[in-house]
């Protein structure tokens, strides 16, 4: 497993750049909870661990024991009682905690990170929701219904997720948004940069207009008002069960040393997936190349999923990821694409802009236009399967991007404001620093420049590249891609030397796939498919919520996170009051 840092988080951060561009204040999230912005609750936690070195995820030792066929008994130095224990304080965990505590439950939240800035839940730009006051009050109102969203999502996913669960999430989405409004979140309905199914008179994407550096204060205020006990730097080791197999609590290590058993009537797993665990990436996604979109390393190491699997929980069938929509990245790059502020190395835009893309053998593998138009949905699956992937361009293309930018370059081929939805986003985004960025990429080893295609191909072992370019250039000259049907707007000949190639790896806001749950967010047993008493999973730990490739609706990952957190809390409160 990978060691973790507090910078990266527990839930998908897709569409983050929109929040910074539209929200009042527009402050950089990377400065959040640093210096004077760290308020009392975060300061107390951070200072307590100031001298601690980064450590591997606690569950490493549990996995080692599992591989050896033995498991050392957990030694608790203390037992703490609660009604509900929630593992993870990202978007879903926070929602579940607030909702349950408001109804009178004693709630403890275990967060592996050192403060509220560790999970990703504070930084997301907004949820998709139906029937909210935001939609009803927008100019012209809304015609969006639960049925609209439900049937679109289920047809898009070929009915792969749990239908009853998805419908219930959509039905309570207005309530989850209202819950955030109660802690002083504000929203604005917005169209996103991609052409999405619900725009105009429908809507559905709720942009959070509270600046990201202020959201932590709202979370802390809600935590204090509802007497929620948040334990930072506390990591799950295993789930406690009784003789009947019911979950009775959580065994955890505080600050990597002190063992505590948190006994509870209900345990909610909200650890945010497995993005920070290369071994689980390989197991579930068959790659070790998926990087963290926020940079650094992720605290989401799949501890919750593994712990539940070890007590007999079922895993879902679908595994995937919520990709970063702003370009490729690379482990050698000092400035990989993270947010679309164009302050990262702009040579990574080649891997996203619709030019010639090839696999490790030098063959085309995708309709390149899909990756530009729909980088989070239709375009995402192939770059994961073919990572690393390579973008190949010539000097004429580099000159065009440096002087014109993608918008002028592509509209000259026939695209218009009306026919090329995402094109409006690229207006005036000229890559004027591209020559220097290319040189930086060459120095770092993920970019290469050559006078011949043969030399270009040899550098990264792209054996079939010359033949691929010859056929690709034929498509460019005829204006028709006979292989993959790429829109002629995106066909850019590779003919004018020198030639350039960038090696790209994908990055993600979060992973998908995990525990199988029912419509009440109860984790199901592998042998019986019955609920495991006392155990719930929400957010991106819950495999039954998500599909691969990612949904084509902005904010849907975050929406499902808060919706499932709301549902789990409602179910738990109902059981506690029974």
């Amino acid at each position: 497993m990978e060691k973790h840092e507090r910078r990266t988080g527990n839930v998908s951060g897709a569409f983050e750049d929109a929040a910074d561009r539209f929200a009042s204040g527009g402050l950089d999230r990377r400065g959040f909870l640093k210096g004077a912005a760290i308020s009392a609750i975060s300061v107390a936690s951070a200072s307590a661990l100031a001298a601690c070195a980064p450590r591997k995820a606690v569950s490493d030792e549990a996995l080692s024991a599992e591989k050896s066929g033995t498991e050392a008994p957990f030694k608790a130095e203390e037992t703490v009682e609660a009604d509900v224990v929630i593992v993870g304080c990202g978007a879903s965990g926070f929602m579940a905690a607030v909702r349950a505590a408001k109804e009178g439950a004693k709630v403890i939240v275990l967060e592996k990170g050192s403060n509220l800035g560790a999970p990703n839940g504070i930084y997301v730009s907004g949820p998709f929701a139906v029937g909210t006051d935001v939609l009803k009050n927008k100019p012209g109102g809304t015609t969006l219904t639960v049925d609209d969203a439900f049937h679109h999502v289920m047809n898009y996913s070929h009915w792969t997720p749990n239908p009853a669960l998805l419908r219930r999430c959509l039905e309570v989405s207005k309530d989850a948004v209202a819950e955030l409004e109660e802690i002083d979140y504000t929203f604005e309905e917005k169209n996103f940069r991609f052409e999405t199914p619900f725009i105009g008179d429908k809507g559905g994407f709720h942009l959070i207009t509270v600046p990201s550096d202020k959201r932590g204060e709202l979370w802390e205020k809600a935590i204090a008002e509802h007497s929620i006990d948040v334990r930072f730097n506390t990591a799950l080791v295993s789930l406690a069960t009784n003789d009947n197999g019911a979950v009775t609590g959580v065994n955890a290590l505080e600050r990597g040393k002190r063992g505590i058993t948190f006994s509870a009537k209900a345990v909610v797993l909200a650890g945010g997936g497995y993005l920070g665990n290369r071994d689980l990436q390989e197991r579930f996604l068959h790659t070790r190349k998926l990087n963290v979109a926020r940079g650094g390393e992720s605290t989401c190491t799949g501890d919750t999923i593994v712990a539940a699997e070890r007590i007999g929980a079922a895993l879902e069938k679908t595994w995937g990821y919520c990709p970063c929509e702003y370009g490729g990245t690379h482990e050698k790059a000092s400035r990989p694409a993270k947010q679309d502020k164009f302050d990262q190395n702009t040579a990574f835009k080649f891997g996203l802009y619709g030019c010639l893309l090839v696999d490790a053998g030098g063959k085309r593998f995708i309709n390149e236009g899909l990756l530009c138009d729909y980088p989070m949905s239709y375009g995402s699956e192939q770059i994961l399967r073919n990572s690393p992937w390579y973008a190949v361009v010539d000097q004429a293309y580099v000159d065009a991007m440096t002087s014109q930018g993608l918008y002028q370059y592509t509209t000259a081929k026939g695209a218009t404001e009306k026919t090329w939805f995402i094109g409006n986003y690229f207006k005036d985004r000229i890559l004027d620093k591209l020559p220097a960025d290319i040189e930086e990429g060459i120095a770092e080893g993920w970019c290469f420049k050559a006078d011949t295609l043969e030399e270009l191909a040899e550098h990264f072992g792209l054996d079939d590249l010359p033949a691929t370019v010859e056929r690709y250039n034929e498509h460019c000259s005829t204006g028709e891609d006979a292989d993959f049907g790429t829109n002629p707007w995106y066909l850019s000949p590779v003919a004018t030397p020198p030639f350039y190639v960038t090696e790209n790896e994908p990055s993600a806001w979060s992973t998908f796939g995990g525990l199988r749950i029912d419509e009440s967010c109860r984790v199901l047993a592998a042998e019986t498919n019955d609920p495991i008493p006392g155990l719930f999973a929400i957010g991106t730990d819950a495999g039954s919520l998500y599909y691969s490739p990612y949904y084509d609706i902005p904010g849907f990952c975050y929406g499902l996170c808060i919706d499932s957190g709301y549902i789990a809390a409602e179910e738990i409160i109902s059981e506690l009051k029974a």
Side-chain angles (χ1 to χ4, degrees):
M1 290 189 181
E2 300 291 302
K3 63 184 180 180
H4 60 77
E5 298 174 348
R6 67 180 177 84
R7 291 182 57 209
T8 58
N10 288 1
V11 69
S12 166
F15 318 119
E16 289 183 344
D17 182 61
D20 289 327
R21 287 185 281 112
F22 289 117
S24 59
L27 297 176
D28 188 345
R29 68 181 59 88
R30 288 173 292 176
F32 177 66
L33 290 178
K34 293 183 179 179
I38 302 179
S39 56
I41 191 169
S42 301
V43 170
S45 176
S47 61
L49 288 185
C52 292
R55 66 182 188 280
K56 285 179 177 281
V58 171
S59 60
D60 278 3
E61 56 194 60
L63 285 179
S64 297
E66 181 184 25
K67 289 178 181 178
S68 67
T70 62
E71 181 181 349
F74 181 80
K75 296 180 181 179
E77 300 177 42
E78 180 185 2
T79 299
V80 179
E81 301 284 343
D83 292 321
V84 186
V85 171
I86 299 170
V87 184
C89 197
S92 62
F94 175 75
M95 174 61 69
V98 170
R99 185 64 191 162
K102 281 180 62 177
E103 295 298 320
K106 180 181 179 182
V107 178
I108 296 177
V109 180
L110 310 182
E111 170 52 48
K112 185 190 295 185
S114 60
N115 56 52
L116 291 175
N120 217 23
I122 286 174
Y123 307 121
V124 292
S125 60
F128 177 85
V130 183
T132 64
D133 59 343
V134 177
L135 289 177
K136 293 175 181 177
N137 294 332
K138 81 184 189 80
T142 179
T143 62
L144 180 67
T145 67
V146 167
D147 277 348
D148 290 335
F150 174 74
H151 289 295
H152 174 83
V153 168
M154 295 311 297
N155 289 333
Y156 175 87
S157 63
H158 304 287
W159 284 75
T160 300
N162 182 321
L165 175 63
L166 259 292
R167 175 171 281 280
R168 188 173 179 187
C169 282
L170 291 167
E171 288 172 345
V172 306
S173 62
K174 64 181 184 304
D175 303 314
V177 168
E179 201 70 45
L180 291 176
E181 288 177 319
E182 284 194 24
I183 70 166
D184 293 331
Y185 264 42
T186 53
F187 300 90
E188 180 181 358
E189 195 276 328
K190 284 280 187 180
N191 288 338
F192 201 65
R193 60 181 285 195
F194 312 127
E195 187 169 12
T196 62
F198 303 122
I199 56 178
D201 63 345
K202 290 189 182 296
F205 174 57
H206 291 61
L207 179 74
I208 302 170
T209 55
V210 178
S212 57
D213 69 319
K214 300 295 184 184
R215 298 174 200 172
E217 298 175 8
L218 300 182
W219 281 38
E220 290 176 358
K221 181 181 176 183
I223 287 169
E225 285 182 354
H226 299 298
S227 301
I228 300 169
D229 183 2
V230 180
R231 304 287 183 103
F232 294 108
N233 300 286
T234 303
L236 168 71
V237 175
S238 61
L239 295 171
T241 59
N242 62 20
D243 293 339
N244 297 321
V247 172
T248 59
V250 171
N251 297 319
L253 290 184
E254 181 184 55
R255 302 187 177 96
K257 297 179 181 179
R258 187 166 176 268
I260 304 176
T261 294
F262 295 90
S263 297
K265 300 177 180 67
V267 171
V268 183
L269 302 180
Y274 50 92
L275 179 59
N277 187 327
R278 300 285 183 183
D279 291 338
L280 290 185
Q281 282 186 26
E282 186 172 39
R283 178 186 173 191
F284 298 139
L285 299 177
H286 308 293
T287 184
R288 301 183 72 88
K289 293 290 187 180
L290 188 59
N291 300 299
V292 181
R294 286 177 64 190
E297 297 176 348
S298 176
T299 58
C300 304
T301 51
D303 306 350
T304 43
I305 297 170
V306 170
E309 184 184 22
R310 288 174 63 225
I311 67 162
L315 299 184
E316 262 297 357
K317 177 184 176 182
T318 298
W319 303 87
Y321 73 118
C322 181
C324 174
E325 66 269 40
Y326 299 134
T329 184
H330 199 280
E331 62 180 357
K332 296 180 181 179
S334 59
R335 296 185 301 133
K338 292 187 290 187
Q339 302 170 37
D340 210 17
K341 297 180 181 301
F342 283 68
D343 57 353
Q344 279 80 35
N345 192 303
T346 55
F348 279 120
K349 299 301 178 188
F350 295 161
L352 186 74
Y353 270 12
C355 56
L356 173 61
L357 303 180
V358 300
D359 62 15
K363 297 179 180 179
R364 287 181 74 201
F365 63 91
I366 193 173
N367 172 336
E368 293 90 351
L370 292 180
L371 191 56
C372 186
D373 287 345
Y374 306 101
M376 301 195 75
S377 52
Y378 298 104
S380 64
E381 192 69 20
Q382 290 300 324
I383 63 172
L384 185 70
R385 292 168 181 263
N386 291 281
S387 177
W389 82 97
Y390 299 84
V392 182
V393 298
D394 66 0
Q395 187 62 49
Y397 187 89
V398 170
D399 291 342
M401 295 303 106
T402 304
S403 60
Q404 303 172 26
L406 186 64
Y407 181 79
Q408 185 175 339
Y409 177 79
T410 308
T411 52
K413 297 180 181 182
T416 68
E417 288 186 359
K418 293 182 178 180
T419 59
W420 188 36
F421 188 93
I422 198 172
N424 296 285
Y425 174 79
F426 293 114
K427 286 182 178 178
D428 301 320
R429 292 177 180 260
I430 298 172
L431 308 183
D432 54 338
K433 298 177 182 178
L434 186 54
D437 287 350
I438 288 173
E439 292 302 317
E440 178 181 277
I442 292 173
E444 292 177 346
W446 52 269
C447 184
F448 188 68
K449 174 182 178 181
D451 291 326
T452 68
L453 289 172
E454 290 71 20
E455 183 184 359
L456 198 75
E458 183 180 2
H459 183 75
F460 284 122
L462 311 177
D463 296 340
D464 293 311
L465 182 62
T468 296
V469 169
E470 181 178 4
R471 180 165 177 79
Y472 177 78
N473 283 345
E474 291 176 0
H475 299 329
C476 295
S477 63
T478 62
E480 181 179 356
D481 177 8
D483 293 329
F484 297 130
T486 300
N487 193 310
W489 303 337
Y490 288 124
L491 294 175
S492 301
V494 181
T496 306
F499 305 106
Y500 302 84
V501 58
T502 61
E503 185 176 62
N504 303 271
E505 297 173 354
S507 62
W509 303 115
S510 72
T511 54
F512 295 147
L515 302 169
R516 185 184 300 158
I517 63 172
D518 65 9
E519 67 273 18
S520 299
C521 296
R522 298 177 297 182
V523 176
L524 303 179
E527 288 192 8
T528 64
N529 215 37
D530 291 331
I532 297 175
L535 188 60
F536 296 77
I538 58 178
T540 53
D541 277 354
S544 303
L545 286 168
Y546 295 100
Y547 173 73
S548 186
Y550 178 57
Y551 299 112
D552 61 344
I553 301 175
F556 211 68
C557 177
Y558 178 50
L560 293 180
C561 283
I562 61 175
D563 300 342
S564 58
Y566 188 96
I567 290 169
E570 292 288 283
E571 290 294 327
I572 291 168
I573 291 301
S574 178
E575 290 183 10
L576 291 176
K577 292 181 177 180

